[in-house]
Amino acid sequence: MSNAVAPWQEAISGAVAGVASRFVIAPFDVIKIRLQLQLLPTSLAAIPLRSAQNIPSERIYSGMIQAGYRIFREEGIMALWKGNVSATYLYFTYGGVQFYSYARIRQMLEAISIRLTGNLPQPDITSFVAGATAGLFGTVMTYPLDLIRTRFAMQTAEKVYESFPRAVSHIYTHEGLQGFYRGILPAVYQIGPYMGISFSTQAYINRHLQVLNDKPNGIPMRLSPEFVSGGLAGAISKTVVMPFDAIRKRLQMQGPDQQRFFATGKVPRTFVGCAAHVVRYEGFGAFWRGWVPSMLKSAPGTAVTFWVVAKMRELFANA
């Protein structure tokens, strides 16, 4: 992180980067959520009747390309951007909060280390701790937007929510304030390691790519080191935390209207209970269902985020 960039400038950089990355990854996000929440157990007969009422007898989506084409054919091209209003609010707010918090926490950790040891802390550890803590702040502050985004993505031609304001009103009326925070526990479990790994991995890879790029006999890079390191960091961190994401998405879909969404059966409402239910009735592989579109979302999304943030930092530093 450039010392010439103030935390408020980091916040603006993160917000702009969040909107830019959302525009790029929106279709992959919708496909990933549909594949991730498609309840196709290893044995349909094994699922309790109360949990299987809304599960189709045949696989609706068999893969990323087929899912994308089917959504386009049955629901129209704009269906690939379902929930984009709430998602844009989410990415804008989350990006701003995350990078502002990251800058502040790094400053605090560096100041504490200098005061105690006289030296700066190890950069990768600092990046992990600051990234994990910033991710927690951002998630708690923006979680209702994430829940609404997920529900919009799971709507079929029969709409449950006509607009973002109506979704907010409907959830509050029928589920109360706690309805906006369904599944927040696995989100908290997920986001700390996810953002810690993402920030520290990106910083580590970027640092080494910069060295290679700057050497006289080094390897010239056609792509920005920030873009490449961000993409690799996004892929690695997302693969590690996908089980938490799968549980979070299932818990987010619970509620009085769940039978009106695409293929969402009932699951236990606790983190451990939901995880055990998935393992028992769908197998361990269900935790990584939708991995391909998830990688196509996370890798370019994180790459764009870190690249845009780097460019915004340059603009602020040179202003």
Side-chain angles (χ1 to χ4, degrees), residues 71-138:
I71 293 170
F72 164 72
R73 188 187 66 202
E74 296 180 354
E75 303 173 47
I77 186 67
M78 294 310 298
L80 293 170
W81 275 265
K82 277 186 176 179
N84 204 43
V85 173
S86 55
T88 300
Y89 292 156
L90 167 65
Y91 277 67
F92 178 85
T93 308
Y94 181 83
V97 171
Q98 181 187 47
F99 277 90
Y100 177 83
S101 301
Y102 180 76
R104 284 293 191 187
I105 294 165
R106 276 195 70 104
Q107 288 179 346
M108 181 186 69
L109 292 173
E110 290 171 356
I112 292 173
S113 179
I114 290 173
R115 189 178 304 125
L116 295 177
T117 68
N119 299 310
L120 286 171
Q122 209 281 334
D124 295 324
I125 295 177
T126 305
S127 295
F128 183 91
V129 174
T133 310
L136 288 171
F137 284 149

Side-chain angles (χ1 to χ4, degrees), residues 47-290:
I47 284 200
L49 181 61
R50 67 181 183 278
S51 300
Q53 292 176 350
N54 200 34
I55 299 176
S57 58
E58 297 180 356
R59 183 187 293 268
I60 295 178
Y61 303 130
S62 60
M64 185 190 71
I65 296 176
Q66 182 270 346
Y69 176 72
R70 181 160 184 166
I71 293 170
F72 164 72
R73 188 187 66 202
E74 296 180 354
E75 303 173 47
I77 186 67
M78 294 310 298
L80 293 170
W81 275 265
K82 277 186 176 179
N84 204 43
V85 173
S86 55
T88 300
Y89 292 156
L90 167 65
Y91 277 67
F92 178 85
T93 308
Y94 181 83
V97 171
Q98 181 187 47
F99 277 90
Y100 177 83
S101 301
Y102 180 76
R104 284 293 191 187
I105 294 165
R106 276 195 70 104
Q107 288 179 346
M108 181 186 69
L109 292 173
E110 290 171 356
I112 292 173
S113 179
I114 290 173
R115 189 178 304 125
L116 295 177
T117 68
N119 299 310
L120 286 171
Q122 209 281 334
D124 295 324
I125 295 177
T126 305
S127 295
F128 183 91
V129 174
T133 310
L136 288 171
F137 284 149
T139 295
V140 172
M141 292 185 67
T142 63
Y143 190 80
L145 296 172
D146 183 46
L147 180 137
I148 294 171
R149 179 274 303 249
T150 298
R151 293 195 178 183
F152 268 114
M154 291 300 289
Q155 289 191 141
T156 58
E158 178 190 356
K159 292 185 180 296
V160 181
Y161 311 128
E162 293 292 336
S163 65
F164 178 76
R166 289 188 179 182
V168 173
S169 175
H170 186 94
I171 293 171
Y172 181 76
T173 300
H174 293 87
E175 303 177 51
L177 189 62
Q178 68 270 22
F180 292 104
Y181 291 91
R182 291 185 186 274
I184 193 170
L185 192 58
V188 169
Y189 291 159
Q190 169 197 355
I191 200 64
Y194 178 43
M195 296 316 305
I197 294 170
S198 182
F199 272 92
S200 59
T201 303
Q202 190 275 337
Y204 177 84
I205 296 174
N206 183 64
R207 189 165 63 249
H208 287 275
L209 289 178
Q210 294 283 7
V211 170
L212 288 175
N213 199 41
D214 294 340
K215 282 184 177 180
N217 59 345
I219 303 173
M221 297 192 63
R222 296 182 181 274
L223 294 174
S224 163
E226 290 86 1
F227 186 89
V228 175
S229 59
L232 292 173
I236 294 168
S237 57
K238 190 64 176 181
T239 300
V240 172
V241 303
M242 271 198 77
F244 296 100
D245 191 44
I247 296 170
R248 173 172 62 98
K249 289 291 190 291
R250 280 166 168 75
L251 292 176
Q252 284 180 333
M253 296 308 301
Q254 303 304 301
D257 296 303
Q258 73 175 84
Q259 297 299 325
R260 298 173 63 189
F261 291 99
F262 159 79
T264 53
K266 290 182 70 63
V267 297
R269 294 191 177 186
T270 65
F271 173 79
V272 175
C274 182
H277 185 275
V278 172
V279 172
R280 180 179 180 184
Y281 296 117
E282 303 178 64
F284 278 103
F287 289 126
W288 283 273
R289 190 179 297 146

Side-chain angles (χ1 to χ4, degrees), residues 18-47:
V19 173
S21 68
R22 174 61 198 175
F23 179 79
V24 172
I25 57 89
F28 298 115
D29 194 31
V30 170
I31 294 171
K32 182 210 74 166
I33 292 173
R34 294 285 182 96
L35 288 171
Q36 200 170 37
L37 294 183
Q38 178 174 230
L39 296 183
L40 189 68
T42 54
S43 173
L44 266 174
I47 284 200

